[in-house]
Amino acid sequence: MQATPIAFRPQTTPHPESASWSVDEIETLLGLPFMELVFRAAEIHRQFFDPCKVQLSTLISIKTGGCSEDCGYCPQSAHHDTPVPNQPMLTVDEVVAAARVAKANGAGRFCMGAAWRGPKDADLQQTLRMVSEVKALGLETCATFGMLRDGQAEQLKGAGLDYYNHNLDTAPDKYADIVQTRDYEDRLDTLGKVRAAGLSVCCGGIVGMNETRRDRAGLIAQLANLDPQPESVPINQLVKVVGTPLADAGVMDWTEFVRTIAVARIAMPRSYVRLSAGRREMDEATQALCFLAGANSIFYGDKLLTTGNPDVVADQALLQKLDLSAL
Ligand code: SF4
């Protein structure tokens, strides 16, 4: 059957600050013939980045489990009965020691995550010391502490934080199926506070949560229409954990994941698109296709908050095989 010609974005890549993407446009991109889509994404990748460089971020959980939120994918929610044990906040020394190891292994950014709805002021004070001491090691710093109240983003910025992670998770229309304890506006409100404080934004989502392709388009459109676009865009593939509501989510074909990466690259040409959770479940060839389709960042380290990640040695071997080097 003859493929129908598809109206596509102009040859000139839209400038990220002025880009405006409809869900229909993104859905059309997701439905391009696979090889065409990957090729176009690879072309755009080369316009904005060295395709042989990958940014390496290491993520550590500084406080695990017992979270009051009910995110359907998360084993750290107190609403779900999962095998993940609670762990109180790490000490500053423990976090700094982990950051030294990450740096020695080649990571350029160190991300600290805490299972909170949002940080209490006393907890925030302790994280400020973590941020400033990690920053002093010469690493970029990132934090993901949940929703921020007025003034908290400024305190983090003052301590030396570079990035704040706050994911939109999924499309606005799908959000209530995944999380009931907060709404999409809450996410956007924190992202606004992060931007107003002068922090860079790390914001992405999760695929493989029984969403449709249109839902994935809705997520990417929402991310791409943030103004300015996020500097980092982690794309996670659901890791199904026993005891979570999404433990039995259907299987999403690997090509859909690659398509999502490719479209994120096209719609957000200046952003670092990160392969995040779920990479351990991907074979090397799929990861290589993701790099070809524009992914240029990975989480790097043995553990990703509470779920597994390919170990450092395996990642170094993969990067070497693909002639990719760390930024
Ligand atoms: S994803 Fe974050 S906010 Fe949601 S339950 Fe897990 S730790 Fe809490």
Side-chain angles (χ1 to χ4, degrees):
M1 194 175 71
Q2 183 85 27
T4 313
I6 295 164
F8 183 60
R9 281 264 151 183
Q11 298 304 314
T12 317
T13 307
H15 189 269
E17 274 74 26
S18 62
S20 167
W21 291 88
S22 70
V23 178
D24 285 343
E25 285 176 305
I26 297 288
E27 192 178 17
T28 298
L29 285 177
L30 283 168
L32 282 174
F34 184 84
M35 297 304 173
E36 178 66 18
L37 174 58
V38 171
F39 178 77
R40 291 186 188 189
E43 266 191 327
I44 288 176
H45 189 194
R46 278 153 184 72
Q47 288 177 38
F48 290 89
F49 291 99
D50 178 343
C52 295
K53 297 280 186 200
V54 174
Q55 190 270 331
L56 305 180
S57 292
T58 291
L59 174 60
I60 183 178
S61 177
I62 65 163
K63 182 268 176 188
T64 305
C67 182
S68 61
E69 300 294 280
D70 69 350
C71 310
Y73 51 82
C74 183
Q76 300 195 64
S77 168
H79 297 256
H80 317 320
D81 183 13
T82 74
V84 172
N86 295 350
Q87 168 211 290
M89 188 156 33
L90 299 181
T91 65
V92 175
D93 287 348
E94 286 171 319
V95 172
V96 172
R100 284 186 203 282
V101 172
K103 186 177 182 194
N105 283 332
R109 188 179 306 168
F110 191 72
C111 311
M112 292 156 271
W116 291 320
R117 176 174 167 84
K120 297 191 178 90
D121 284 334
D123 292 332
L124 188 72
Q125 292 312 310
Q126 191 154 344
T127 68
L128 298 180
R129 287 184 49 216
M130 294 173 187
V131 168
S132 57
E133 295 203 19
V134 171
K135 179 77 175 171
L137 298 177
L139 286 159
E140 287 184 321
T141 52
C142 180
T144 182
F145 298 157
M147 293 186 280
L148 296 179
R149 295 196 305 278
D150 287 346
Q152 292 186 319
E154 285 76 7
Q155 290 183 68
L156 288 162
K157 171 79 176 169
L161 192 72
D162 297 304
Y163 287 78
Y164 194 80
N165 165 267
H166 204 59
N167 290 334
L168 288 177
D169 294 343
T170 189
D173 295 347
K174 174 85 177 159
Y175 201 69
D177 294 347
I178 307 296
V179 184
Q180 284 82 45
T181 48
R182 56 172 188 264
D183 58 33
Y184 222 70
E185 279 305 312
D186 293 326
R187 303 307 272 178
L188 296 172
D189 179 62
T190 287
L191 289 169
K193 289 184 168 82
V194 168
R195 274 291 179 215
L199 291 162
S200 294
V201 167
C202 173
C203 182
I206 307 171
V207 296
M209 299 193 294
N210 291 331
E211 77 280 352
T212 62
R213 182 180 276 178
R214 185 153 183 92
D215 292 329
R216 287 190 281 282
L219 168 66
I220 299 291
Q222 193 75 37
L223 293 169
N225 289 334
L226 290 173
D227 185 15
Q229 293 184 331
E231 283 79 6
S232 287
V233 180
I235 303 290
N236 298 275
Q237 180 162 276
L238 177 69
V239 176
K240 298 170 199 171
V241 180
V242 174
T244 62
L246 286 165
D248 299 319
V251 174
M252 189 184 77
D253 193 79
W254 63 271
T255 55
E256 283 297 317
F257 188 82
V258 178
R259 285 177 189 274
T260 306
I261 293 287
V263 174
R265 166 53 62 224
I266 292 169
M268 293 171 277
R270 293 181 192 275
S271 304
Y272 282 90
V273 175
R274 180 177 308 133
L275 299 185
S276 304
R279 202 161 58 81
R280 190 170 70 168
E281 288 73 23
M282 266 172 230
D283 60 28
E284 290 190 343
T286 302
Q287 293 184 57
L289 257 180
C290 288
F291 291 128
L292 182 65
N296 60 350
S297 174
I298 58 171
F299 271 128
Y300 176 71
D302 299 345
K303 220 171 186 195
L304 231 185
L305 289 179
T306 60
T307 55
N309 204 39
D311 71 27
V312 166
V313 172
D315 275 340
Q316 287 172 346
L318 176 61
L319 295 180
Q320 197 171 18
K321 272 191 244 187
L322 300 176
D323 301 309
L324 296 171
S325 57
L327 270 176

